[in-house]
Structure formats: structure tokens, C-alpha cells
């Protein structure tokens, strides 16, 4: 028995290892296998198509309206649109921090990837015109209808699937990525994945906030394993919030209040604080609640932090200014998925009688704009490591347009699979550094072997509360400094003594949660440090001590990486190919 | 004075297939505060009463179907089923149990 076999319970050898099985991982796998390499997909989920953010998406997929007319004959498509206008809208939405090389590819390849989806049997439900888009571009394909055909497509190939498995770390040797290790929850096996190329498709990092629309897996694992292995990350100061989720009751905490989101285009109630003040008058006296999502979130959070919110930590949303019959008739004209139902919930079970009472509402963490820095070929700064989808940064800049998350995952998922397969075909055998493997195993197993110490759930709650109050929708120098020292203290002083109370390895939730907690702490440290540097407000970052967008000093990307065990942040000018960003200081929320 | 919190009894069929012992029901008392789902109840037990409880969930909004369990003998999603009174939870029948309420789903995986 070799040393490596002694350290691990199981060894999986493959050419391309894809971590994450959903909207980015599936197209990546399908493209990679076409190129004649062995492909393995590993997921934390129970099955492909049944976990991650993709199935939770409501959701639309952006393609320029001109292509939708010319190539798909879609009703409602507007021929005045073009890829160039889509490109420009993405930069305005991203407040000009987007990598323009990536945006060019994004708008060019979106129609081809929509065609792939149709070829796999995905159906289009309609077309919508969301805010931030000059023309209707939102091809309606809910995640629950996107994933079953993708799942069938993947299952019809020779792609190997490993489920219930959390990848904990990447393996490197002589500066290149040679695989990964993970825990298989179903078997308890400590598994080594030996691979010529690894593609991270693990999604975002939203669970650091107590109110989130994201599924439970999204703890930033991919970003942090890449960081630990030495890869660069970008735009980590831009976690994005949606204005309008239930803070209460527990059953629907974090669930969208669909009719409230004015971007859904249906009805926007009045947002009130506990004094009954319609506080949007201070922020947008023209559009009020129909303002953009970032401004609505900041306005809500201002009331919440000032103690003027509702009993369960939100603000009030009221429809009472409408006559009773208008409210009663809502269900007749508002499509049921925007009023009566959300996911598997019947909204009536959770909403008060809206003719009499307001509903409580809170901004919720929804998307992570930043992530692993990639180039046009989805290569990271580490040879052998590729990434695509929400785990990456650069496509969306400081904020994402509605519908562009789905476009990102299929366009970039496809590309990452192709380039990773080409790389794997061109490189020789890889070898594992058994000392590194042993060290990573020791670190992963340590919480299982310890006794006593802090409880994971307590630390996670404290992390989430601190992130929410001090490093979330609204940030400033003081709050960020306090949050940063709290997160560093938790990671350096408390995490090393945390223990897992169940010692068996099969389906040990607390063990996985401890490993996730470390990732969440790293993510929040990056959020704090990059937010502290950026002395302005832009897109998804609002600093109340620097409320303007400073295009003179801050048209820059911040790049986070690890050097000699320390977190290093440097800034680089934005990658510009076609559109010069504005050069002056603007009020928050404006682009010109 | 706040109203006294209602407590319910939650019976869960526990099993560790690798030990080859017969599955056994275990009962927990859980306080109901606000409208809670079965998933909230499971999380409460894992956080406060027994960290070894095995269950699986992902989306929390009734879309991924990962949290399917038997609730009082019927197949339900833990995340969108609200709790009113005492409940009995078992893993899905006809599936191989990994631990407690977690099963190996059918499929190529």
C-alpha cells in the first residue's frame, strides 16, 4: 500500500474534476466530456440538479433582444437592441468595474448557450424587461425547469458523479493544482481526487448574513479553497442584497416577498418605519419604492440600524393606501407566482390581511458579485485551476443586472469545461505531494478529534449578526474595523479550539458546518478589508462615511491573494476595451 | 407577561445502518415560536438538543426536494410543511438509509 493510499480512504483519478454540479458545473461537464477526457463532477448536494442556487432561481437568462428576435423569433423581443447596448448596460449596472474583455465574450456567447439549452430540451416560459436593461432581455427559464433537462443531459454521458461530498481543499504540487480532497458524507470516506485540471463551479458566498435567499451550501467554499491554494480573488467588497424578504416567521425567514420587489414589475407597497414615515422620500423622492434595488436596500437598512424598524428586525411594507377592492383584486391580475405562491410556500399562510396590516420586510443577501479572478479562458492565477459562474468575479463588476446570473453560469460554465479539457489533454501525469495531503487531512480531521471548546452554531450566529450589523448593506470605517477584529479573533482564537460533538464520519453535519465556518470567516475578512480600502460607495458597496462614487480615485479592481501566509490586497486599473468609464465624482446610484 | 411558549413532541426514527442495530424512535421536546417548518424544528434539535441528528436540506423554499421526509406517515418537504402539533418523522421508505432521515436518492448517482 502506498503512502497516499494509507492517508486516504478512497482515490478517484480523473482528467477534469468539476466541483459543483449545477448551472455552471453541468455545462462545464458536458463541454469537457465532448473533448474526449475523463470528467468527474463532485457536489455537496444529494444529487445533480437538486441543490445549489440554480434551482432556487426564479429566474431569467439575459440575451440581447436583437438576437432573441433574429435567432429565436421570441415574441416581445425588440430589434432596436444589440450586443453593444447589452454590453453598455452591463457596464452601467456594474458601475464600470467589470472586466470588459469578459463582458464582450459574455454578450457574444449568450445566444449560443441559449441554443444549447434549447437543444437539451429546456423550454422558454416568456420574456421580461427587468430594470437596468434598455430592452427586454430576460428569457424566463425558472431554475426548476432548467436543471431537469441539464441533469438528463449529464446523466446520458460518461461523466462520473460523486454526491454528498464537500471538497475541503485543493492540492498543489510545484505551483500547479493537481486535484482536491473532500469528505464523502454518505460513506464517511476521506477522498482524494487526483486530476489534471480542476474547475470550481461552487457558487457564491451568501450564508454569512442571517437573512439570505441563498441555499444552505453557499458558504464561499470554492473561493476560499482557491485563496488558500494561492489563487487571486477580485471584487470581494461587493456582496449584493435584495430589498424584500421575510424576517419572520422562522418558516419563511429569508424568503422573497415577491409582490414587494418593484423590479418584478407588479406592485410596490409603501415602505414605512415604526413612526409611519415613508422613508424613501429621503432617498428617491421621485420614484420612492420603485427605485433601484441597491438604494432600496440601503434605505431599509438605515431605518433598521437606527432602531426605527419593525419588531423582527425589518421595516414595514404597507398596501393600506390602496382601496380594499384594489388589494382584493390583486390576485386576479398579478400572476400567482408573484403573489399567491413562492417556491413551495402558499403566501397566504404567511401574509397578514393586507387590507388591515403591513408585512415586515428586510434586505436579504442574494448574490456575490466578486470571487475568483479569471481570464477569458476561465483560467485562474494558478495553473491547472479553472473557475466559472458565481464563484468568479469580474463579469458583473460592482453590481449584477437582473437575469445575468443565469447567463454567467451557462456562458462561463461551458467555456471553463472546454478550456480545462484542452489543458488536461495537453499536460502529463500529475503527482500528489503526500506531505501536503497528510497535513490537510490532519487539519480537516482536527475538530473531530478535539473535545470541548466553542459550539459551531453559536459562532456562526455571532458571525452572521456581526456581518449584518457592521459589514453588510451599510458599512463605515468604524463598523468595518470592529467587524474585522471580531472575525480575525474568531478565526485565530476560537476556531482552533472548536470541536465536533459527533465523532462518526457518516453524514456528520456539524463537522461540515465547522469547515464551512472557517470559509465564511475568511470571506468576511476579505469583505471587510476590501471595503475598508475602498473609500467610496459604488454598486453593492455602500459606505455611509463616503457616500459618493469616486471615479477619479476608485476606478480600480481590488485583488486579494495570500502571500507568505498573509492576506495581501492590491489594486489594478479596470480592464477597458471599448467604453471609457466616466471620470467624475457622482452621487451614489448614478452612472452619469 | 409573554404567553407561555407551546412545546411539541417530535418523534424521529434514528438509525446508524453501519452498526446493524434496529432503527429506534427518539422523542424531543421543541418550543414553537412563530410559524415553524419541520426544517426549523430539525435545525432547532441539531443546534440545541442533539448535534448528531442526520438530515439533509438545501434550498429551504420547496424547490430542490432534498429535504423530503415522512411526516406522520406521509411524504412531505420539511422546508414548506409547517408544524402545528406533535409529529413523527421517518426517512423516505424504499430508499437506502445513510443515517437517520438521510437516504441515498435513486438515480445514476
Amino acid at each position: 500500500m502506498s503512502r497516499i493510499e494509507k492517508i486516504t480512504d478512497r482515490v478517484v483519478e480523473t482528467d477534469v474534476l468539476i466541483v459543483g454540479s449545477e448551472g455552471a458545473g453541468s455545462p462545464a461537464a458536458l463541454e469537457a466530456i465532448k473533448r474526449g477526457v475523463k470528467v468527474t463532477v463532485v457536489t455537496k448536494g444529494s444529487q445533480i440538479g437538486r441543490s445549489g442556487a440554480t434551482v432556487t432561481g426564479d429566474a431569467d437568462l439575459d440575451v440581447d433582444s436583437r438576437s432573441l428576435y433574429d435567432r429565436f423569433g421570441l415574441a416581445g423581443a425588440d430589434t432596436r437592441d444589440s450586443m453593444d447596448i447589452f454590453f453598455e448596460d452591463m457596464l452601467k449596472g456594474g458601475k464600470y468595474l467589470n472586466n470588459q474583455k469578459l463582458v464582450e465574450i459574455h454578450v457574444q456567447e449568450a445566444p449560443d448557450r441559449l441554443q444549447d439549452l434549447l437543444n437539451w430540451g429546456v423550454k422558454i416560459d416568456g420574456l421580461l424587461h427587468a430594470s437596468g436593461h434598455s430592452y427586454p432581455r430576460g428569457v424566463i427559464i425558472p431554475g426548476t425547469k432548467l436543471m431537469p433537462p441539464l441533469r438528463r443531459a449529464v446523466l446520458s454521458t460518461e461523466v462520473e458523479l460523486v454526491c454528498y461530498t464537500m471538497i475541503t481543499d485543493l492540492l498543489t504540487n510545484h505551483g500547479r493544482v493537481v486535484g482536491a480532497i473532500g469528505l464523502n458524507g454518505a460513506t464517511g470516506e476521506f477522498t482524494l481526487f487526483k486530476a489534471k485540471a480542476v474547475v470550481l463551479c461552487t457558487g457564491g458566498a451568501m450564508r454569512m448574513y442571517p437573512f439570505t435567499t441563498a441555499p444552505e451550501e453557499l458558504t464561499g467554499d470554492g473561493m476560499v479553497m482557491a485563496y488558500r491554494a494561492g489563487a487571486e480573488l477580485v471584487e470581494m467588497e461587493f456582496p449584493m442584497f435584495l430589498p424584500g424578504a421575510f424576517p419572520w416567521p422562522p418558516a419563511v425567514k429569508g424568503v422573497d416577498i415577491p409582490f414587494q420587489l418593484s423590479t418584478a414589475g407588479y406592485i410596490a407597497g409603501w415602505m414605512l418605519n415604526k413612526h409611519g414615515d415613508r422613508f424613501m422620500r429621503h432617498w428617491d423622492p421621485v420614484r420612492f419604492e420603485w427605485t433601484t434595488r441597491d438604494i432600496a436596500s440601503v434605505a431599509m437598512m438605515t431605518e433598521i440600524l437606527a432602531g426605527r424598524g419593525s419588531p423582527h428586525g425589518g421595516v414595514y411594507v404597507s398596501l393600506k393606501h390602496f382601496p380594499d377592492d384594489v388589494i382584493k383584486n390583486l390576485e386576479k391580475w398579478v400572476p400567482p407566482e408573484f403573489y399567491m405562491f413562492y417556491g413551495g410556500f402558499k403566501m397566504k399562510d404567511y401574509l397578514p390581511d393586507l387590507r388591515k396590516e403591513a408585512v415586515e420586510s428586510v434586505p436579504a443577501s442574494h448574490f456575490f458579485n466578486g470571487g475568483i479572478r479569471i481570464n477569458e479562458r476561465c483560467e485562474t492565477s494558478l495553473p491547472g485551476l479553472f473557475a466559472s459562474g458565481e464563484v468568479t468575479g469580474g463579469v458583473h463588476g460592482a453590481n449584477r443586472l437582473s437575469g445575468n446570473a443565469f447567463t454567467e453560469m451557462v456562458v462561463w460554465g461551458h467555456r471553463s469545461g472546454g478550456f480545462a479539457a484542452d489543458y488536461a489533454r495537453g499536460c502529463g501525469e500529475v503527482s500528489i505531494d503526500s506531505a501536503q495531503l497528510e497535513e490537510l487531512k490532519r487539519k480537516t480531521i482536527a475538530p473531530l478529534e478535539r473535545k470541548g471548546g466553542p459550539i459551531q452554531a453559536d459562532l456562526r450566529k455571532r458571525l452572521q449578526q456581526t456581518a449584518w450589523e457592521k459589514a453588510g448593506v451599510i458599512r463605515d470605517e468604524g463598523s468595518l474595523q470592529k467587524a474585522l477584529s471580531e472575525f480575525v479573533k474568531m478565526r485565530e482564537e476560537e476556531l482552533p479550539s472548536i470541536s465536533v460533538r459527533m465523532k462518526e464520519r457518516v453524514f456528520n453535519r456539524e463537522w461540515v458546518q465547522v469547515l464551512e465556518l472557517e470559509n465564511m470567516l475568511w470571506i468576511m475578512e476579505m469583505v471587510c478589508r476590501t471595503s475598508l480600502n475602498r473609500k467610496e460607495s459604488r454598486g453593492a458597496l455602500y459606505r455611509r462615511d463616503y457616500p459618493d462614487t469616486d471615479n477619479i480615485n476608485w476606478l480600480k479592481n481590488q485583488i486579494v491573494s495570500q502571500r507568505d501566509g498573509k492576506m495581501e490586497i492590491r489594486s489594478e486599473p479596470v480592464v477597458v476595451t471599448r467604453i471609457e468609464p466616466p471620470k467624475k465624482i457622482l452621487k451614489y446610484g448614478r452612472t452619469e | 407577561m409573554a404567553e407561555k411558549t407551546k412545546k411539541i413532541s417530535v418523534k424521529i426514527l434514528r438509525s446508524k445502518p453501519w452498526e446493524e442495530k434496529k432503527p429506534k424512535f427518539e422523542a424531543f421536546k421543541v418550543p414553537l415560536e412563530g410559524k415553524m417548518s419541520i426544517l426549523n424544528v430539525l435545525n432547532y434539535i441539531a443546534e440545541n438538543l442533539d448535534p448528531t441528528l442526520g438530515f439533509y436540506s438545501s434550498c429551504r423554499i420547496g424547490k430542490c426536494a432534498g429535504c423530503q421526509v415522512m411526516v406522520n406517515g406521509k411524504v412531505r418537504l420539511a422546508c414548506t410543511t409547517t408544524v402545528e402539533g406533535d409529529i413523527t418523522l421517518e426517512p423516505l421508505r424504499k430508499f437506502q438509509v445513510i443515517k437517520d432521515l438521510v437516504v441515498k436518492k435513486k438515480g445514476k448517482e
Side-chain angles (χ1 to χ4, degrees), chain A residues 14-20 24-25 27-29 31-32 35 37-40 42 102 167 170-172 175-180 195-203 221-227 229-233 371-393 408-409 411-427 430:
Chain A
T14 192
D15 292 325
V16 177
L17 176 69
I18 297 172
V19 187
E31 186 55 27
R35 303 192 185 204
V37 293
K38 185 172 183 221
V39 179
T40 303
V42 55
L102 301 184
I167 294 295
L170 295 167
L171 296 167
T172 53
R176 64 167 282 202
V177 170
V178 293
K196 293 175 184 166
V198 176
V199 187
L200 295 176
C201 304
T202 51
D221 305 342
M223 297 176 198
V224 179
M225 72 180 80
Y227 168 80
E232 292 178 345
L233 283 74
I372 302 166
R373 194 184 194 209
I374 54 166
N375 64 12
E376 303 92 286
R377 299 164 57 86
C378 297
E379 292 161 339
T380 68
S381 55
L382 280 180
L385 183 65
F386 298 74
S388 60
E390 195 181 350
V391 75
T392 67
E408 177 181 36
M409 57 195 202
V411 165
W412 295 94
H414 172 96
R415 288 181 73 83
S416 64
F419 288 119
D422 291 349
Y423 175 90
R425 278 195 311 194
C427 75
V430 295

Side-chain angles (χ1 to χ4, degrees), chain A residues 1-8 433-438:
Chain A
M1 195 189 254
S2 75
R3 184 154 170 223
I4 285 165
E5 282 166 341
K6 271 184 221 152
I7 303 168
T8 53
D433 173 354
S434 57
Q436 182 191 50
L437 181 66
E438 201 154 17

